[in-house]
Amino acid sequence: MTVKEKIDQLRADLHRHNYNYYVLNAPEISDKEFDDMMRELQDLEKAHPEYMDKTSPTMRVGSDLNKNFVQVAHKYPMLSLGNTYSENEVADFYDRVKKSLNEDFEVCCELKYDGTSISLTYEDGKLVQAVTRGDGEKGDDVTDNVKTIRSIPLVLHGDYPKSFEIRGEILMPWESFEALNRERELREEPLFANPRNAASGTLKSQNSSVVANRKLDAYLYYLLGENLPGDGHYENLQAAKNWGFKISDHMHKAQTLQEIFDYIRYWDTERKNLPVATDGIVLKVNSLRQQRNLGYTAKSPRWAIAYKFQAERALTRLNKVSYQVGRTGAITPVANLDPVQLSGTIVKRASLHNADIIEGLDLHIGDLVYVEKGGEIIPKITGVDKDARGMMLGEKVRFITHCPECGSPLIRYEGEAAHYCPNETACPPQIKGKIEHFISRRAMNIDGLGPETVDLFYQVGLIKDASDLYALKVEDIMGLERMGRKSAENIIRGIEASKSVPFERVLFALGIRFVGETVAKKLAHALGEIEAIRGAGLDTLKAIDEIGEKIAQSIVAYFDNPMNDALVKRLEAAGLQFCRSEEELEGRTDKLAGLSIVISGVFAHHSRDEYKSLIEKNGGKNVGSISSKTSFILAGENMGPSKLEKAQKLGIRILNEDEFLQMLSES
Ligand code: IVH
């Protein structure tokens, strides 16, 4: 076989395995085999740049090169759809179509995916361009970013037209969205309000390797071109499924208006069980010939309409605004409301985000306000019913000027929306928040200790910072509220055990601003011990992967503060790990010795590769397929149905990633 033939074969195999995994959810080979093939291809491509191909599977990893997007004109404009919230208007749409066509017709019912739309162009079975909607006439060329989305095929198989466009929605699944926000919270970066913003923000990233890591997905729902297989929209999309595209399994061809209503009502509740966000139903006349007959208005097709689900919204009274102080001193204003039912839960409080939002709403105490849940994490106030105000206007809500907990004047950093209490070392919720963070599961993971216990110890004056925990004795805490000898002993044992928590987690536990788990890991790996970090200047820090100006400044500022420096010294004296241990340098344990473990599905905290190397570092073996010898399965989202069935048949234990990580963190 020539080198070129070898490269072509590897590419074809990798495309097929990618499709099996990301589109069909049915991998045929192990991750290791996949990675080995990918590495072999990367090496060959590096040695033979003359065989470079823009649709090679190696393009999926993205690159760090910053890139400004080029604007390109759409060949066919990207129109929007007429919108309605009412079933009566759906009936009107149906009657209009019936009247104009004056013949039988079918309506394809689809979910309206709530992400960001994309238009993909394929020539000779290869993805050549991906463009955002933009203003409908022209959009941004985001091809390099889109190539990193694994469910979008780079090359097609089967009987595809020579040249066509296919449009769809790029989405961030709920699970990835929540994991991303958790990570951002730890790093104290602003959270994405919903998966739609997260998906469109990610797609516009200037750095395609960021996109590659964000776990986006895509559903395609609209084919355009001169040589489509047939006259049916539904049928054409089923064909596109065979070319390699991810097409929704929930499309339905309705013959009557009643069937359309049934579909709408079913999905209004059932959509909550989908892995991605949806905000309505799209109805399309199925025949392309009939679509052409119906034509377009200036803005949208006459052959389609979107029925939007009612945003889950309620009207209730604002009684008070209270202010919470976080562990970093950030102040969050919270609306206290008359309890109101909203999408299945009772809401009493809603976030008001920051001073600008309050000002923008012109809020007054006693106002009737709209609360929405939608795709957001925390309910929020989206408006005020000003007509309901009447004669008695309550007091205007003004953002506080002093910390509600310690009275310090608040400050606002340049370019930030939030107000902060600067009294880091003496403001009670900041102190307690820092200790709570210190003991939390992903940090020191101290058994038996939780926020209530920390609060109790703080109230009675036993602890004023994390280092005081290490001076506690059973007798000090036994006899405190609801604290028997057994729980007291358990806590002290947990505190003692935390002395062997590895350096990178100790570093994370310190709660240095912007130093989340990932940054702590990078710091620990790069500098190895606390002395080196303490002595590092901005330049040394910035040379480390993932650390920029903002993080570097925060680290320097942390150690410049004598209180922090003294705390770290006390923790060192207590015997915590402040440098990487020999085993840790190797990262090796024998916790999984003798176990055969299958990895399946998609994960939130680590990639499959990372799990694989975790298994190996802890003495286990990662195997590709399930057999009676399998010890357990590490399962993420969307574990393949055949694997699940096999596991159940053989009675093999299935662990989710949290359970697995917990297992590794236990000593
Ligand atoms: S069809 C001309 N189908 O909704 C018709 N759109 O305002 C083209 N969307 O921008 C769109 N799910 O981003 C279609 N199943 C679906 C959809 C869908 C979501 C989005 C799309 C479009 C907007 C329509």
Side-chain angles (χ1 to χ4, degrees):
M1 204 187 301
T2 65
V3 171
K4 178 69 171 63
E5 281 164 354
K6 182 74 199 160
I7 289 180
D8 285 345
Q9 186 192 356
L10 283 167
R11 283 178 182 161
D13 289 349
L14 283 163
H15 281 309
R16 192 178 72 252
H17 292 306
N18 181 80
Y19 171 73
N20 288 340
Y21 187 91
Y22 288 99
V23 180
L24 301 182
N25 267 327
E28 282 173 358
I29 58 169
S30 73
D31 290 4
K32 163 130 180 51
E33 289 167 291
F34 187 92
D35 295 344
D36 289 348
M37 281 163 73
M38 182 69 95
R39 209 150 302 130
E40 189 180 354
L41 177 59
Q42 278 169 331
D43 291 345
L44 285 174
E45 287 183 351
K46 213 179 201 165
H48 296 274
E50 68 274 24
Y51 300 135
M52 157 16 197
D53 182 316
K54 285 191 189 157
T55 54
S56 168
T58 53
M59 293 287 165
R60 297 242 188 236
V61 294
S63 99
D64 288 338
L65 291 180
N66 268 16
K67 192 164 170 182
N68 288 317
F69 303 118
V70 177
Q71 284 216 329
V72 287
H74 291 293
K75 184 165 168 203
Y76 312 92
M78 277 181 94
L79 300 176
S80 62
L81 293 173
N83 262 343
T84 177
Y85 287 90
S86 109
E87 291 196 356
N88 284 338
E89 287 183 21
V90 169
D92 292 346
F93 163 78
Y94 195 84
D95 289 342
R96 260 196 323 272
V97 168
K98 194 168 168 179
K99 241 202 203 123
S100 338
L101 288 176
N102 201 19
E103 61 180 352
D104 286 347
F105 64 98
E106 294 176 315
V107 173
C108 183
C109 308
E110 303 172 11
L111 290 165
K112 187 171 187 307
Y113 289 104
D114 194 12
T116 182
S117 47
I118 193 76
S119 189
L120 309 173
T121 305
Y122 286 81
E123 304 280 355
D124 297 313
K126 294 190 167 201
L127 173 66
V128 293
Q129 197 170 52
V131 183
T132 63
R133 179 169 191 279
D135 61 5
E137 298 288 334
K138 51 188 178 336
D140 287 331
D141 181 336
V142 289
T143 313
D144 288 338
N145 283 351
V146 163
K147 281 182 182 166
T148 69
I149 302 173
R150 312 286 163 140
S151 48
I152 292 184
L154 303 183
V155 298
L156 305 178
H157 45 256
D159 195 14
Y160 48 80
K162 187 167 163 48
S163 160
F164 65 94
E165 263 183 70
I166 188 163
R167 292 180 180 170
E169 207 78 357
I170 290 181
L171 298 149
M172 185 175 288
W174 285 111
E175 191 174 306
S176 319
F177 166 70
E178 279 150 17
L180 174 63
N181 265 351
R182 272 199 301 275
E183 175 80 3
R184 290 174 76 86
E185 196 166 10
L186 290 173
R187 286 207 299 259
E188 295 183 24
E189 290 170 0
L191 302 189
F192 285 112
N194 51 47
R196 176 178 11 94
N197 291 358
S200 66
T202 302
L203 193 65
K204 294 281 183 60
S205 169
Q206 302 281 314
N207 178 337
S208 58
S209 63
V210 169
V211 189
N213 287 325
R214 289 266 183 96
K215 306 203 176 78
L216 295 175
D217 202 350
Y219 283 97
L220 286 312
Y221 46 62
Y222 188 30
L223 267 168
L224 295 116
E226 320 284 306
N227 298 306
L228 303 184
D231 178 60
H233 160 78
Y234 177 91
E235 290 75 12
N236 286 344
L237 285 179
Q238 298 311 313
K241 191 182 269 186
N242 294 327
W243 309 333
F245 291 105
K246 190 155 179 172
I247 308 290
S248 171
D249 285 329
H250 307 304
M251 292 166 54
H252 171 77
K253 271 197 299 175
Q255 319 288 334
T256 63
L257 183 58
Q258 186 54 47
E259 264 184 67
I260 295 176
F261 287 148
D262 291 345
Y263 184 90
I264 289 179
R265 281 171 208 158
Y266 176 78
W267 283 108
D268 196 0
T269 50
E270 201 49 36
R271 70 193 182 103
K272 288 168 193 144
N273 299 320
L274 293 170
V276 294
T278 53
D279 62 344
I281 298 294
V282 180
L283 304 170
K284 299 172 185 169
V285 170
N286 194 54
S287 152
L288 302 188
R289 175 183 58 81
Q290 291 178 334
Q291 288 186 2
R292 281 191 296 275
N293 282 345
L294 290 161
Y296 294 82
T297 70
K299 279 195 307 214
S300 52
R302 286 204 186 84
W303 46 265
I305 191 170
Y307 170 86
K308 298 251 267 185
F309 298 123
Q310 212 51 252
E312 291 168 298
R313 187 166 90 146
L315 196 61
T316 188
R317 192 169 302 280
L318 172 71
N319 294 320
K320 193 177 110 179
V321 175
S322 53
Y323 296 84
Q324 285 176 349
V325 186
R327 90 176 141 91
T328 59
I331 311 283
T332 309
V334 178
N336 294 240
L337 309 163
D338 274 355
V340 65
Q341 185 80 30
L342 186 62
S343 53
T345 54
I346 292 177
V347 172
K348 294 185 217 150
R349 292 146 63 82
S351 171
L352 280 165
H353 300 288
N354 58 50
D356 296 340
I357 301 261
I358 295 180
E359 197 51 43
L361 287 166
D362 182 31
L363 269 190
H364 291 253
I365 300 298
D367 274 345
L368 281 180
V369 293
Y370 291 103
V371 200
E372 273 185 30
K373 237 179 183 177
E376 325 295 318
I377 342 169
I378 308 165
K380 64 176 185 188
I381 297 202
T382 53
V384 177
D385 183 358
K386 293 197 172 144
D387 296 335
R389 271 179 180 164
M391 304 287 282
M392 295 288 286
L393 185 61
E395 191 191 334
K396 185 171 163 66
V397 177
R398 284 179 210 287
F399 204 88
I400 46 171
T401 54
H402 290 72
C403 176
E405 302 282 345
C406 72
S408 305
L410 300 182
I411 54 170
R412 198 169 179 176
Y413 298 109
E414 176 117 3
E416 281 199 45
H419 282 77
Y420 285 88
C421 166
N423 186 13
E424 260 182 78
T425 45
C427 177
Q430 293 191 58
I431 298 173
K432 279 189 282 181
K434 285 192 178 80
I435 305 176
E436 280 165 19
H437 169 74
F438 182 85
I439 62 164
S440 64
R441 195 167 61 85
R442 306 186 85 94
M444 302 302 283
N445 190 22
I446 300 184
D447 241 9
L449 264 189
E452 294 82 24
T453 331
V454 166
D455 193 40
L456 176 67
F457 291 177
Y458 179 79
Q459 294 300 338
V460 300
L462 279 172
I463 54 174
K464 346 174 261 325
D465 65 38
S467 73
D468 292 334
L469 290 170
Y470 294 90
L472 291 178
K473 291 187 208 58
V474 174
E475 301 73 54
D476 298 334
I477 57 175
M478 208 176 86
L480 291 177
E481 205 180 314
R482 274 174 308 179
M483 182 76 66
R485 172 170 284 278
K486 254 219 158 107
S487 9
E489 283 174 354
N490 187 26
I491 289 175
I492 300 299
R493 218 177 303 121
I495 293 174
E496 197 53 34
S498 75
K499 291 183 184 169
S500 58
V501 163
F503 178 40
E504 59 190 44
R505 273 170 52 202
V506 176
L507 205 49
F508 169 59
L510 293 179
I512 304 171
R513 207 157 175 244
F514 306 127
V515 179
E517 275 175 288
T518 321
V519 171
K521 217 173 265 172
K522 300 263 167 172
L523 258 179
H525 280 237
L527 298 175
E529 53 172 6
I530 195 79
E531 252 343 289
I533 299 178
R534 199 186 260 131
L538 284 180
D539 291 335
T540 311
L541 292 168
K542 282 195 311 202
I544 302 170
D545 190 25
E546 295 251 355
I547 298 185
E549 183 71 31
K550 189 171 82 168
I551 301 179
Q553 272 179 3
S554 164
I555 297 167
V556 170
Y558 181 88
F559 288 103
D560 277 350
N561 180 334
M563 304 275 280
N564 293 332
D565 200 43
L567 169 68
V568 172
K569 294 213 163 100
R570 283 196 299 279
L571 291 172
E572 277 184 276
L576 273 59
Q577 304 296 317
F578 277 97
C579 61
R580 299 181 68 202
S581 67
E582 286 302 316
E583 296 94 69
E584 204 216 318
L585 280 173
E586 294 241 300
R588 298 196 180 276
T589 79
D590 54 5
K591 287 179 188 168
L592 304 175
L595 302 185
S596 295
I597 300 159
V598 171
I599 307 181
S600 178
V602 188
F603 298 94
H605 302 314
H606 298 282
S607 67
R608 286 168 72 106
D609 281 350
E610 285 165 351
Y611 277 120
K612 183 171 168 315
S613 87
L614 263 179
I615 290 174
E616 284 165 359
K617 279 189 174 160
N618 288 283
K621 204 165 122 200
N622 173 216
V623 291
S625 59
I626 302 173
S627 73
S628 58
K629 296 204 193 78
T630 306
S631 312
F632 64 83
I633 298 167
L634 168 58
E637 183 77 356
N638 287 334
M639 171 173 171
S642 60
K643 274 201 177 152
L644 188 62
E645 198 181 314
K646 193 156 179 197
Q648 282 164 345
K649 212 148 94 203
L650 294 171
I652 292 168
R653 198 150 72 102
I654 299 179
L655 294 186
N656 67 30
E657 58 184 316
D658 285 327
E659 290 164 335
F660 177 72
L661 291 171
Q662 178 68 29
M663 176 169 174
L664 287 185
S665 68
E666 278 160 9
S667 43

